[in-house]
Amino acid sequence: MLEQPTAHFLIGRLQKPLEDGNLNQKLLTEYLWNKLVNLQLNLFAMHKLFLTLTFLISLTVSSEETISRWTADYFERIHKHIANENYEKAQAELILGDTNYFRNGRTYEAALLYQLYGQFYAVQSQYTNAIPWFEKALATENMPRIGEQEVRFQLAQTYFMVGKYENVIPLLEDFIRVGERYKFPVSARVNLLMAYSHGRLDQYEPSYFHIKIANKKSDKPQIDWIEYAFSLAMKLELLDDAEDLGTRLLYLEPNKKKYWNQVSALYFAKDFEIDSLSALEL
């Protein structure tokens, strides 16, 4: 575990930007109390995430449902076409399946087809077209729980990409509830997506709740996530939390001037005197 820097370590670095006149009271006020900037979520190279074609996981982990060898081969052909970016052949196979093999079906196999159709559009960044297929897969109510979890997360991401943040939140609330009840994994990225969705709706308290969980779950520090938590802590005037987060950013990126300015501004907001920092352990 990384050791946190102490106040003695910070004093010299904090004093210099103050002496250089880079932080005046007007800038401090603007920085501390302005409207929280909406950060763009990169969604972890979303097209690659969808290319993981999680229907294959459903085929192997579910003891509740099985599919025929022919159907498995059919899905595998489509999988290969999408992976090779041969979208015309993939779409021809999908149309055939939807109109002939599983027409208006509500079976497990039909649900897998609808999920794959959604993935087909999502990997091409055609998120509006992907949404009804993911919705249709969930509506069959014939997927095993782990398969439904996969579709929920994919649909939530797709809603986010088209700005339907109010639809993301209940989906992921269901995802977390089911995961906790049946001991399915709930990754940090689920909480991250919840945090960003609440944030886009100006719901800062639940946003901060989930970004804190995401940072705790992460197996290594994620600078962007910590920055977002810092911004929320400042917005909510949780200055002690902001102090901890700002210090962590400084330790991870000690040469980044922006972080020194932020922490300097924070000390002004907390009415700290620079000379008193030597008595404070961060």
Side-chain angles (χ1 to χ4, degrees):
M1 182 177 293
L2 293 175
E3 182 182 353
Q4 291 292 329
T6 65
H8 297 282
F9 169 70
L10 294 175
I11 294 172
R13 299 298 298 272
L14 281 172
Q15 202 139 16
K16 190 172 191 321
L18 294 175
E19 291 170 352
D20 289 347
N22 292 327
L23 289 172
N24 58 45
Q25 191 61 44
K26 182 175 182 295
L27 289 176
L28 288 171
T29 303
E30 289 176 354
Y31 170 75
L32 289 169
W33 311 119
N34 68 349
K35 176 81 173 170
L36 179 66
V37 176
N38 284 333
L39 301 180
Q40 294 296 323
L41 177 59
N42 185 1
L43 273 182
F44 322 107
M46 186 171 180
H47 65 288
K48 292 184 179 178
L49 178 63
F50 276 111
L51 273 176
T52 308
L53 292 184
T54 52
F55 81 92
L56 293 175
I57 300 174
S58 297
L59 301 185
T60 59
V61 304
S62 173
S63 59
E64 304 170 34
E65 301 285 351
T66 58
I67 66 172
S68 69
R69 182 68 262 168
W70 179 90
T71 304
D73 290 343
Y74 165 71
F75 286 146
E76 180 63 20
R77 286 200 307 274
I78 300 173
H79 173 205
K80 288 180 179 178
H81 289 323
I82 296 175
N84 293 329
E85 299 184 7
N86 194 335
Y87 299 123
E88 289 186 6
K89 287 186 177 180
Q91 187 166 29
E93 293 271 20
L94 287 165
I95 291 172
L96 187 63
D98 183 48
T99 56
N100 287 13
Y101 307 147
F102 310 108
R103 186 175 182 179
N104 295 320
R106 296 182 63 88
T107 64
Y108 174 52
E109 293 177 338
L112 292 176
L113 173 72
Y114 305 148
Q115 180 186 7
L116 185 52
Y117 224 137
Q119 292 169 335
F120 164 78
Y121 283 118
V123 298
Q124 300 176 77
S125 301
Q126 298 179 30
Y127 304 117
T128 301
N129 291 335
I131 285 173
W133 292 103
F134 288 134
E135 291 176 334
K136 197 172 181 179
L138 280 179
T140 65
E141 298 183 346
N142 270 319
M143 299 191 82
R145 289 191 187 95
I146 189 66
E148 286 184 336
Q149 288 289 82
E150 294 157 1
V151 178
R152 280 190 189 100
F153 189 49
Q154 292 170 344
L155 179 56
Q157 293 174 91
T158 311
Y159 278 144
F160 187 95
M161 297 302 285
V162 299
K164 293 187 175 181
Y165 312 119
E166 67 282 357
N167 291 357
V168 175
I169 293 167
L171 265 177
L172 293 185
E173 286 175 341
D174 285 345
F175 187 101
I176 293 169
R177 177 182 54 79
V178 172
E180 291 175 347
R181 181 175 180 180
Y182 296 102
K183 309 301 181 185
F184 295 147
V186 178
S187 75
R189 293 182 178 185
V190 173
N191 295 104
L192 181 68
L193 192 54
M194 281 286 272
Y196 277 104
S197 298
H198 279 295
R200 293 294 179 88
L201 296 173
D202 296 340
Q203 298 168 355
Y204 300 123
E205 290 186 5
S207 180
Y208 187 56
F209 173 81
H210 281 286
I211 197 63
K212 285 196 301 181
I213 295 175
N215 278 317
K216 286 179 181 178
K217 286 181 178 179
S218 179
D219 56 358
K220 62 180 181 179
Q222 302 288 338
I223 295 291
D224 290 345
W225 304 9
I226 301 171
E227 282 189 352
Y228 191 65
F230 178 85
S231 297
L232 288 169
M234 295 296 287
K235 180 68 179 178
L236 295 168
E237 300 183 28
L238 300 172
L239 299 186
D240 288 339
D241 285 11
E243 181 182 332
D244 291 339
L245 291 161
T247 302
R248 191 176 185 198
L249 288 169
L250 283 173
Y251 189 63
L252 293 170
E253 297 279 354
N255 295 319
K256 201 158 188 177
K257 184 177 180 181
K258 177 177 76 170
Y259 297 153
W260 293 107
N261 290 347
Q262 288 173 347
V263 173
S264 298
L266 176 60
Y267 286 144
F268 269 93
K270 295 185 72 174
D271 294 322
F272 278 166
E273 296 290 341
I274 294 297
D275 290 339
S276 71
L277 289 178
S278 59
L280 176 68
E281 289 294 329
L282 299 181

